[in-house]
């Protein structure tokens, strides 16, 4: 069943229940107040009769009582011993059905009586007759509530009509309202179906700002689509950038391989140069693909494997490895032991990326400083090399960005190192900055918050 129909049906059932309850309450209140009003009128009539008959002789009393008869009623006077002193009626059956009863105080009695196989509602009131403080008897008036019957029918009819009208209006209104409410959802479903069928990402058209949950839902959906679109664009950009980057070393390898094929090893010098070039370009491709894999894994599982890392011993290990591999002097400076909560392998990777740059782009000593303050741990890698032009610093973290492509080619860079480093640091909720002066040197600082 459609959600609109469900809402419609449920609200209608609910409205019927409410109306039923209200109808019952209205009906009973109406009956009660009307009977009460009738009874009051009859008591008033009884008072008038008592005043009228006071001091009259018996002959006159019956005649006087007759004047007070309304249609289908009786009036009687009952003595304290229960006997009827006088009785007048214009409905014999009614008077027969209801036995007279002496009452010492005012009484009203509403009951159903069957007369000639017909149910009739009869109101009986009794009021005492006193004279000079002495109880003389009581006056009893019985009257068929004819008006009430017809009024009850009219009321029932009006109530039923109103209920039917309310149900029809509720069904129509419910349809209309649920249509309005469901429109954004239907829009959303249609957009999703379109996306599913065409495979092209599409946003929901928000025509009216309703400032409700549905608008929030549509906006969230659109933001999700934006993100997906951005991710897809990033991915395809990455693929095209990566293939472009791979093209150059592959072209170099191919041309040197061709050279070797044509001239073979005849020219030893040239052959050596070709082999060297092929080797260095192949190494470059290898490094590049390693970086690609790093990036892909950062993309895939952004979750970090956090553990307690002893930063000093980690840096000492790296220092030793790099010193041995590159035969360069790396100075490590720190004061206190530093324990850091981080993904050890990833932090190691960042430090290696920075040292690798410092080694590539400088030729003298490289310094590493490890510090900590109340809020953060700071790792600085400083070199006294070629530096980076001021205007290039802001681009340095971009993928495949290299300051001087020709120069970087000699050093075998792919322009991914700093990009990867920044992403890792961002995952740790930290920051990475570079200050550099061309021809003077570069200092890269990493800030890692202690309380992530
Ligand atoms: N310490 C440094 N001194 C001078 N230039 C630097 C330094 N570090 C980075 N650069 C410049 O920034 C560019 C980007 O650095 P990044 O580490 O991202 O790439 P890369 O070193 O070229 O290649 P790789 O992906 O192999 O690290 C480098 O090409 C270089 O021009
Ligand atoms: Mg690098």
């Amino acid at each position: 069943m459609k959600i609109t129909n469900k809402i419609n049906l449920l609200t209608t059932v609910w409205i019927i229940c409410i109306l039923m309850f209200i109808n019952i309450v209205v009906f009973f209140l109406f009956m009660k107040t009307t009977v009460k009003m009738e009874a009051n009128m009859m008591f008033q009539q009884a008072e008038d009769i008592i005043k009228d008959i006071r001091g009259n002789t018996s002959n006159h009393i019956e005649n006087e009582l007759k004047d007070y008869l309304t249609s289908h009623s009786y009036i009687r006077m009952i003595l304290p011993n229960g006997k009827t002193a006088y009785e007048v009626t214009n409905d014999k059956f009614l008077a027969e059905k209801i036995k007279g009863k002496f009452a010492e105080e005012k009484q009203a009695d509403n009951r159903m009586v069957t007369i000639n196989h017909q149910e009739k509602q009869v109101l009986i009131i009794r009021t005492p007759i006193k004279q000079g403080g002495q109880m003389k008897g009581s006056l009893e008036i019985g009257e068929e509530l004819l008006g009430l019957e017809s009024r009850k029918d009219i009321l029932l009819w009006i109530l039923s009509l109103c209920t039917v009208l309310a149900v029809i209006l509720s069904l129509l209104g419910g349809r209309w309202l649920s249509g309005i409410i469901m429109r954004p959802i239907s829009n959303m479903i249609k957009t999703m179906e379109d996306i599913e069928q065409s495979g092209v990402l599409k946003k929901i058209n928000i025509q009216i700002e309703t400032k409700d949950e549905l608008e929030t839902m549509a906006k969230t959906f659109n933001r999700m689509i934006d993100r997906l679109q951005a991710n897809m664009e990033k991915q395809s950009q990455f693929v095209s950038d990566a293939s472009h980057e791979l093209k150059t070393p592959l072209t170099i390898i191919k041309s040197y391989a061709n050279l070797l094929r044509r001239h073979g090893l005849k020219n030893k010098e040239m052959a050596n140069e070709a082999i060297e070039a092929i080797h260095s370009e192949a190494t470059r491709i290898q490094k590049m693909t390693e970086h690609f894999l790093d990036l892909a894994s950062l993309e895939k599982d952004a979750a970090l494997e956090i553990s307690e890392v002893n930063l000093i011993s980690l840096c000492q290990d790296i220092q030793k490895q790099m010193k041995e591999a590159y035969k360069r002097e790396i100075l490590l400076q720190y004061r206190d032991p530093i324990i850091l909560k981080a993904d050890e392998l990833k932090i190691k990777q960042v430090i290696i990326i920075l040292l690798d740059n410092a080694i590539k782009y400088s030729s003298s000593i490289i310094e590493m400083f490890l510090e900590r303050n109340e809020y953060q741990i700071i790792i600085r890698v400083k070199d006294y090399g070629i530096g980076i032009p001021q205007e290039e610093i802001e681009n340095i973290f971009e993928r495949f960005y290299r300051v001087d492509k020709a120069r970087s080619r000699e050093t075998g860079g792919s322009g991914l190192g700093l990009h990867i480093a920044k992403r890792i640091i961002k995952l740790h909720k930290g920051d990475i900055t570079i200050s550099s002066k061309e021809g003077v040197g570069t200092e890269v600082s990493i800030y890692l918050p202690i309380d992530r």
Side-chain angles (χ1 to χ4, degrees):
M1 194 192 254
K2 267 184 159 183
I3 197 160
T4 37
N5 293 344
K6 255 189 221 170
I7 295 174
N8 213 350
L9 208 74
L10 284 176
T11 44
T12 308
V13 169
W14 180 231
I15 281 185
I16 290 176
C17 291
I18 294 173
L19 283 176
M20 282 298 173
F21 175 72
I22 290 175
N23 285 354
I24 290 170
V25 170
V26 167
F27 182 76
F28 279 104
L29 279 179
F30 169 80
M31 290 302 280
K32 227 179 140 162
T33 47
T34 319
V35 170
K36 207 170 166 195
M37 269 160 61
E38 289 281 341
N40 283 344
M41 271 159 63
M42 279 163 77
F43 277 124
Q44 188 56 51
Q45 198 188 13
E47 300 282 324
D48 292 347
I49 294 172
I50 293 169
K51 254 190 232 158
D52 248 19
I53 60 175
R54 203 165 277 158
N56 275 356
T57 57
S58 56
N59 282 348
H60 285 105
I61 289 181
E62 288 209 330
N63 283 340
E64 292 227 3
L65 288 180
K66 263 188 194 145
D67 292 344
Y68 285 99
L69 281 178
T70 51
S71 61
H72 298 278
S73 66
Y74 68 83
I75 303 172
R76 29 171 105 113
M77 248 180 84
I78 319 276
L79 295 172
N81 60 11
K83 286 203 172 132
T84 306
Y86 309 103
E87 180 180 280
V88 291
T89 180
N90 51 17
D91 187 332
K92 226 167 50 204
F93 299 110
L94 182 70
E96 268 169 24
K97 265 276 166 191
I98 297 160
K99 297 275 160 278
K101 206 174 109 189
F102 170 73
E104 281 188 32
E105 47 192 44
K106 279 185 174 182
Q107 277 180 2
D109 183 7
N110 176 26
R111 62 169 101 145
M112 298 300 286
V113 186
T114 321
I115 298 166
N116 294 337
H117 309 292
Q118 265 195 316
E119 284 257 291
K120 309 222 155 145
Q121 191 162 6
V122 180
L123 183 62
I124 305 139
I125 63 120
R126 297 183 185 98
T127 185
I129 307 170
K130 285 179 184 162
Q131 216 168 36
Q134 254 200 338
M135 183 67 75
K136 289 278 174 194
S138 65
L139 189 75
E140 183 177 297
I141 306 176
E143 188 183 314
E144 196 187 317
L145 292 172
L146 283 171
L148 186 72
E149 283 293 321
S150 55
R151 266 179 276 163
K152 192 168 90 183
D153 289 344
I154 294 174
L155 180 69
L156 279 178
W157 203 81
I158 291 174
L159 289 180
S160 323
L161 188 79
C162 286
T163 308
V164 172
L165 259 176
V167 169
I168 294 174
L169 286 178
S170 147
L171 277 172
L172 290 177
R175 248 186 119 90
W176 177 63
L177 280 177
S178 46
I180 291 181
I181 294 171
M182 288 303 290
R183 200 174 302 145
I185 296 183
S186 311
N187 259 346
M188 239 178 270
I189 294 172
K190 188 161 180 323
T191 313
M192 285 179 202
E193 280 171 352
D194 282 355
I195 293 174
E196 194 195 17
Q197 272 161 21
S198 64
V200 181
L201 294 179
K202 248 172 95 174
K203 286 210 253 182
I204 293 168
N205 187 9
I206 303 172
Q207 284 155 344
I208 310 161
E209 302 242 325
T210 45
K211 305 242 176 315
D212 55 13
E213 288 88 342
L214 289 174
E215 192 193 322
T216 317
M217 192 161 130
K219 280 190 171 162
T220 314
F221 180 85
N222 284 353
R223 275 203 302 276
M224 189 184 79
I225 294 292
D226 274 343
R227 258 179 97 152
L228 281 176
Q229 251 162 356
N231 275 349
M232 272 165 76
E233 270 163 30
K234 257 205 249 167
Q235 244 173 28
S236 71
Q237 184 64 41
F238 180 77
V239 171
S240 74
D241 284 355
S243 5
H244 184 258
E245 292 301 312
L246 283 171
K247 224 164 79 188
T248 326
L250 283 174
T251 315
I252 297 172
I253 290 175
K254 197 176 162 194
S255 62
Y256 273 111
N258 269 340
L259 203 73
L260 278 180
R261 198 160 58 183
R262 255 185 277 131
H263 303 288
L265 295 171
K266 275 181 271 166
N267 186 341
K268 231 174 168 177
E269 204 180 317
M270 192 208 70
N272 272 341
E273 188 197 325
I275 290 164
E276 268 312 306
I278 289 171
H279 181 262
S280 101
E281 290 306 308
T283 316
R284 204 157 96 85
I285 293 175
Q286 189 192 17
K287 268 185 92 178
M288 223 186 273
T289 42
E290 275 165 18
H291 274 154
F292 290 168
L293 289 176
D294 285 343
L295 263 183
S297 86
L298 277 180
E299 204 81 58
K300 197 170 66 215
D301 38 62
L304 298 171
E305 276 179 39
I306 302 291
S307 62
E308 290 208 337
V309 183
N310 183 337
L311 191 64
I312 310 289
S313 64
L314 177 74
C315 288
Q316 280 168 338
D317 288 349
I318 301 172
Q319 178 198 27
K320 217 173 121 198
Q321 280 170 18
M322 299 294 266
K323 254 182 170 173
E324 261 167 36
Y326 296 98
K327 309 280 177 252
R328 289 281 298 271
E329 194 178 349
I330 301 170
L331 209 71
L332 182 61
Q333 294 196 40
Y334 57 90
R335 233 184 282 143
D336 306 309
I338 298 174
I339 302 293
L340 168 72
K341 274 198 177 133
D343 187 318
E344 181 161 5
L345 282 181
K346 294 211 163 74
I347 294 293
K348 183 174 178 180
Q349 193 182 356
V350 173
I351 298 171
I352 290 177
I353 286 172
L354 300 189
L355 284 178
D356 179 64
N357 281 350
I359 290 167
K360 274 196 291 194
Y361 307 113
S362 78
S363 48
S364 59
I365 191 172
I366 296 160
E367 289 169 312
M368 269 176 89
F369 303 94
L370 308 178
E371 302 155 33
R372 75 166 282 166
N373 60 32
E374 216 178 316
Y375 313 103
Q376 55 196 5
I377 288 160
I378 306 157
I379 305 168
R380 292 184 213 280
V381 175
K382 192 169 181 184
D383 68 62
Y384 301 91
I386 55 171
I388 305 163
Q390 201 57 37
E391 65 278 7
E392 303 276 6
I393 289 182
E394 59 179 312
N395 305 320
I396 225 81
F397 292 104
E398 270 166 39
R399 214 164 47 191
F400 300 116
Y401 194 88
R402 290 176 313 230
V403 173
D404 179 344
K405 296 208 175 201
R407 188 179 65 189
S408 294
R409 182 142 303 122
E410 278 165 30
T411 50
S414 65
L416 282 173
L418 286 177
H419 178 75
I420 292 172
K422 181 156 188 165
R423 293 198 55 167
I424 292 175
I425 296 304
K426 284 280 160 210
L427 279 180
H428 282 84
K429 308 256 183 295
D431 202 7
I432 178 165
T433 59
I434 289 192
S435 70
S436 182
K437 205 160 179 199
E438 243 188 317
V440 178
T442 306
E443 183 178 278
V444 186
S445 310
I446 297 168
Y447 303 90
L448 290 164
I450 287 169
D451 187 11
R452 286 191 312 117

